[in-house]
Amino acid sequence: QVQLLESGGGSVQAGGSLRISCAVVSGNTYGRDCMGWFRQAPGKKREGIAGIYTGTGKTYYADSVKDRFTISSDNAKKTVYLQMDNLKPEDSAMYYCAAEEPGLRYTCFPDGIVGYNYWGQGTQVTVSS
């Protein structure tokens, strides 16, 4: 069973930065799966914003965060990060990391939750204007 532990959310003013982390604390999928960051604001659908293939480090971004957010990984720590810069009030949401059951997705582009069988508990990000 894959368990994910997120940390690093908080409150920041518009234009500021935050980094959130997702550690794979159990399971053996790291290195051969997609991992992604999703967010969900109240009353809205869960949105995929960034993905990474842990085997090669190849990254993918949704247009809404491209050029502002950076997904990265530390293989030694089995941890995926999301560096968020130039934050906007509309970035406020609960942020979730997710890990794929290897082989279920044809791309790590964050175009949906299909194949992401493992989820973290979420970490809140609030951006004030």
Side-chain angles (χ1 to χ4, degrees), residues 65-112:
V65 304
K66 197 171 183 180
D67 298 327
R68 296 189 300 123
F69 290 10
T70 304
I71 188 171
S72 62
S73 60
D74 183 330
N75 291 343
K77 296 181 178 179
K78 293 186 179 180
T79 298
V80 173
Y81 304 96
L82 187 69
Q83 175 67 39
M84 303 179 287
D85 297 319
N86 190 21
L87 282 159
K88 304 175 181 180
E90 52 263 43
D91 293 318
S92 296
M94 186 71 78
Y95 282 68
Y96 299 90
C97 74
E100 175 208 14
E101 179 63 38
L104 292 187
R105 292 185 58 83
Y106 68 93
T107 177
C108 295
F109 186 82
D111 58 356

Side-chain angles (χ1 to χ4, degrees), residues 109-129:
F109 186 82
D111 58 356
I113 65 172
V114 174
Y116 282 107
N117 286 12
Y118 310 106
W119 292 82
Q121 80 284 0
T123 186
Q124 180 68 40
V125 172
T126 303
V127 185
S128 57
S129 57

